[in-house]
Coordinates of all heavy atoms in Angstrom, one line a residue:
T1 N -1.1 16.0 33.2 CA -0.4 15.7 31.9 C -1.3 14.8 31.1 O -2.1 14.0 31.6 CB 0.9 14.9 32.1 OG1 1.4 14.6 30.8 CG2 0.8 13.6 32.9
F2 N -1.3 15.0 29.8 CA -2.1 14.2 28.9 C -1.2 13.0 28.4 O -0.9 12.9 27.2 CB -2.6 15.1 27.7 CG -3.4 16.2 28.3 CD1 -2.9 17.5 28.1 CD2 -4.6 16.0 29.0 CE1 -3.6 18.6 28.6 CE2 -5.3 17.1 29.5 CZ -4.8 18.4 29.3
A3 N -0.8 12.2 29.3 CA 0.0 11.0 29.0 C -0.3 10.0 30.2 O -0.7 10.5 31.3 CB 1.5 11.4 29.0
P4 N -0.1 8.7 30.0 CA 0.6 8.1 28.8 C -0.4 7.8 27.7 O -1.6 7.5 27.9 CB 1.1 6.8 29.4 CG 0.1 6.4 30.4 CD -0.3 7.8 31.1
M5 N 0.1 7.9 26.4 CA -0.7 7.3 25.3 C -0.5 5.8 25.3 O 0.6 5.3 25.3 CB -0.2 7.9 24.0 CG -1.2 7.6 22.8 SD -0.5 7.8 21.2 CE 0.2 6.2 20.9
V6 N -1.6 5.1 25.3 CA -1.5 3.6 25.5 C -2.1 2.9 24.3 O -2.4 1.7 24.3 CB -2.1 3.1 26.8 CG1 -1.4 3.8 28.0 CG2 -3.6 3.4 26.8
D7 N -2.2 3.6 23.1 CA -2.8 3.0 21.9 C -1.9 2.0 21.4 O -0.7 2.2 21.2 CB -3.0 4.1 20.9 CG -4.0 5.2 21.3 OD1 -4.9 4.9 22.1 OD2 -3.7 6.4 21.0
I8 N -2.5 0.8 21.0 CA -1.7 -0.2 20.3 C -1.5 0.3 18.8 O -2.4 0.9 18.2 CB -2.5 -1.5 20.2 CG1 -2.6 -2.1 21.6 CG2 -1.9 -2.5 19.3 CD1 -1.3 -2.4 22.3
A9 N -0.3 0.2 18.3 CA 0.1 0.7 17.0 C 0.7 -0.4 16.2 O 1.7 -0.9 16.5 CB 1.0 1.9 17.1
R10 N 0.0 -0.6 15.1 CA 0.5 -1.7 14.1 C 0.9 -1.1 12.8 O 1.3 -1.9 11.9 CB -0.6 -2.7 13.9 CG -0.9 -3.6 15.2 CD -2.1 -4.4 15.0 NE -2.2 -5.5 15.9 CZ -3.1 -6.5 15.9 NH1 -4.1 -6.4 15.0 NH2 -3.1 -7.5 16.8
D11 N 0.8 0.2 12.6 CA 0.9 0.8 11.3 C 1.9 1.9 11.4 O 1.6 3.0 11.9 CB -0.4 1.3 10.8 CG -0.4 1.6 9.3 OD1 0.7 2.0 8.8 OD2 -1.4 1.5 8.6
A12 N 3.1 1.7 10.8 CA 4.2 2.7 11.0 C 3.9 4.0 10.1 O 4.6 5.0 10.3 CB 5.5 2.1 10.5
R13 N 2.9 4.0 9.3 CA 2.6 5.2 8.6 C 2.0 6.3 9.6 O 2.2 7.5 9.4 CB 1.5 5.0 7.5 CG 2.0 4.1 6.4 CD 0.9 3.8 5.4 NE -0.1 2.9 6.1 CZ -1.1 2.3 5.4 NH1 -1.3 2.6 4.2 NH2 -2.0 1.5 6.1
W14 N 1.4 5.8 10.6 CA 0.8 6.7 11.6 C 1.8 7.3 12.5 O 2.7 6.7 13.1 CB -0.1 5.8 12.5 CG -1.0 6.6 13.5 CD1 -1.8 7.6 13.2 CD2 -1.2 6.4 14.9 NE1 -2.5 8.1 14.3 CE2 -2.1 7.3 15.3 CE3 -0.7 5.4 15.8 CZ2 -2.6 7.4 16.7 CZ3 -1.1 5.5 17.1 CH2 -2.0 6.4 17.5
G15 N 1.9 8.7 12.4 CA 2.9 9.4 13.1 C 3.0 9.2 14.6 O 4.0 9.4 15.2
R16 N 1.8 8.9 15.2 CA 1.8 8.8 16.6 C 2.2 7.5 17.2 O 2.1 7.3 18.4 CB 0.4 9.2 17.1 CG 0.0 10.6 16.7 CD -1.3 11.1 17.4 NE -1.0 11.5 18.8 CZ -1.8 12.3 19.5 NH1 -2.9 12.8 19.0 NH2 -1.4 12.7 20.7
V17 N 2.8 6.6 16.3 CA 3.4 5.4 16.9 C 4.5 5.8 17.9 O 4.8 5.1 18.8 CB 4.0 4.5 15.8 CG1 2.9 4.0 14.9 CG2 5.1 5.2 15.0
M18 N 5.1 7.0 17.6 CA 6.2 7.4 18.5 C 5.8 7.6 20.0 O 6.6 7.5 20.9 CB 6.8 8.8 18.0 CG 5.8 9.9 18.0 SD 6.4 11.5 18.3 CE 6.8 11.4 20.0
E19 N 4.5 7.8 20.2 CA 4.0 8.3 21.5 C 3.6 7.1 22.4 O 3.3 7.3 23.5 CB 2.8 9.2 21.2 CG 2.6 10.2 22.4 CD 1.4 11.1 22.0 OE1 1.1 11.3 20.8 OE2 0.8 11.6 23.0
G20 N 3.5 5.9 21.8 CA 3.0 4.8 22.6 C 4.1 3.7 22.8 O 5.3 4.0 22.6
A21 N 3.6 2.5 23.1 CA 4.5 1.4 23.5 C 4.5 0.3 22.5 O 5.0 -0.8 22.7 CB 4.1 0.8 24.9
G22 N 4.0 0.6 21.2 CA 4.2 -0.4 20.2 C 3.0 -1.2 20.0 O 1.8 -0.8 20.2
E23 N 3.2 -2.5 19.5 CA 2.1 -3.3 18.9 C 1.5 -4.3 19.8 O 0.5 -5.0 19.5 CB 2.6 -4.0 17.7 CG 3.7 -5.1 18.0 CD 4.3 -5.6 16.7 OE1 4.8 -4.8 15.9 OE2 4.4 -6.9 16.5
D24 N 2.1 -4.6 21.0 CA 1.7 -5.7 21.8 C 0.8 -5.3 23.0 O 1.2 -4.5 23.8 CB 2.9 -6.5 22.3 CG 2.5 -7.7 23.1 OD1 2.0 -8.6 22.5 OD2 2.7 -7.7 24.4
P25 N -0.3 -6.0 23.2 CA -1.2 -5.6 24.4 C -0.5 -5.9 25.7 O -0.8 -5.1 26.7 CB -2.4 -6.5 24.2 CG -2.4 -6.9 22.7 CD -0.9 -7.0 22.4
Y26 N 0.2 -7.0 25.9 CA 0.8 -7.3 27.2 C 1.9 -6.3 27.5 O 1.9 -5.7 28.6 CB 1.4 -8.7 27.1 CG 2.0 -9.2 28.5 CD1 1.2 -9.7 29.4 CD2 3.3 -9.0 28.7 CE1 1.7 -10.1 30.7 CE2 3.9 -9.3 30.0 CZ 3.1 -9.9 30.9 OH 3.6 -10.3 32.1
L27 N 2.9 -6.1 26.6 CA 3.9 -5.1 26.9 C 3.3 -3.7 27.1 O 3.6 -3.0 28.0 CB 4.9 -5.1 25.8 CG 6.1 -4.1 25.9 CD1 6.9 -4.3 27.2 CD2 7.0 -4.1 24.7
G28 N 2.3 -3.4 26.2 CA 1.7 -2.1 26.3 C 1.0 -1.9 27.7 O 1.0 -0.8 28.2
S29 N 0.4 -2.9 28.2 CA -0.3 -2.8 29.5 C 0.7 -2.6 30.6 O 0.5 -1.8 31.5 CB -1.1 -4.1 29.8 OG -2.1 -4.3 28.8
K30 N 1.8 -3.3 30.6 CA 2.8 -3.1 31.6 C 3.5 -1.7 31.6 O 3.7 -1.1 32.6 CB 3.9 -4.2 31.4 CG 3.5 -5.6 31.7 CD 3.0 -5.8 33.1 CE 2.6 -7.2 33.4 NZ 2.0 -7.4 34.7
V31 N 3.7 -1.2 30.4 CA 4.2 0.1 30.2 C 3.2 1.2 30.7 O 3.6 2.1 31.4 CB 4.6 0.4 28.8 CG1 5.0 1.9 28.6 CG2 5.8 -0.5 28.4
A32 N 1.9 1.0 30.4 CA 0.9 1.9 30.8 C 0.9 2.0 32.3 O 0.8 3.1 32.9 CB -0.5 1.4 30.3
E33 N 0.9 0.8 33.0 CA 0.9 0.8 34.4 C 2.1 1.5 35.0 O 2.0 2.3 35.9 CB 0.9 -0.7 34.9 CG 0.9 -0.8 36.4 CD 1.0 -2.3 36.8 OE1 1.4 -3.1 36.0 OE2 0.8 -2.6 38.0
A34 N 3.3 1.3 34.5 CA 4.5 1.9 35.0 C 4.5 3.4 34.8 O 4.9 4.1 35.8 CB 5.7 1.3 34.2
R35 N 4.0 3.9 33.7 CA 4.0 5.3 33.5 C 3.0 6.0 34.3 O 3.2 7.1 34.8 CB 3.9 5.6 32.0 CG 5.0 5.0 31.2 CD 5.1 5.7 29.8 NE 5.7 7.0 29.9 CZ 5.4 8.0 29.1 NH1 4.5 7.8 28.1 NH2 5.9 9.2 29.2
V36 N 1.8 5.4 34.5 CA 0.8 6.0 35.4 C 1.3 6.2 36.8 O 1.2 7.2 37.4 CB -0.5 5.2 35.4 CG1 -1.4 5.6 36.5 CG2 -1.2 5.3 34.0
I37 N 1.9 5.1 37.3 CA 2.5 5.1 38.6 C 3.6 6.1 38.8 O 3.7 6.9 39.8 CB 3.0 3.7 39.0 CG1 1.8 2.8 39.2 CG2 3.8 3.8 40.3 CD1 2.1 1.3 39.4
G38 N 4.4 6.3 37.7 CA 5.5 7.3 37.7 C 4.9 8.7 37.8 O 5.4 9.5 38.6
F39 N 4.0 9.0 37.0 CA 3.4 10.4 37.0 C 2.7 10.7 38.3 O 2.8 11.8 38.8 CB 2.4 10.5 35.8 CG 3.0 10.7 34.5 CD1 2.6 9.9 33.4 CD2 4.0 11.7 34.2 CE1 3.2 10.1 32.1 CE2 4.5 11.9 33.0 CZ 4.1 11.1 31.9
Q40 N 1.9 9.7 38.8 CA 1.0 10.0 39.9 C 1.6 9.6 41.3 O 1.0 9.8 42.3 CB -0.3 9.3 39.7 CG -1.1 9.8 38.5 CD -2.5 9.2 38.4 OE1 -3.2 9.7 37.6 NE2 -2.9 8.3 39.2
G41 N 2.8 9.1 41.3 CA 3.5 8.7 42.5 C 3.0 7.5 43.2 O 3.3 7.2 44.3
G42 N 2.2 6.7 42.5 CA 1.7 5.4 43.0 C 0.5 5.0 42.3 O 0.0 5.7 41.4
G43 N 0.0 3.8 42.6 CA -1.2 3.3 41.9 C -2.5 3.5 42.6 O -3.5 3.1 42.1

């Protein structure tokens, strides 16, 4: 799969804000980790 998208997004004009975890590096990092582990069955 071509996911997760982990791009930090600060501009709501950009349509791909929908595909990531928002504007914060800390929250974005935790979400990236969770989704990678979910797709791959572990870390």
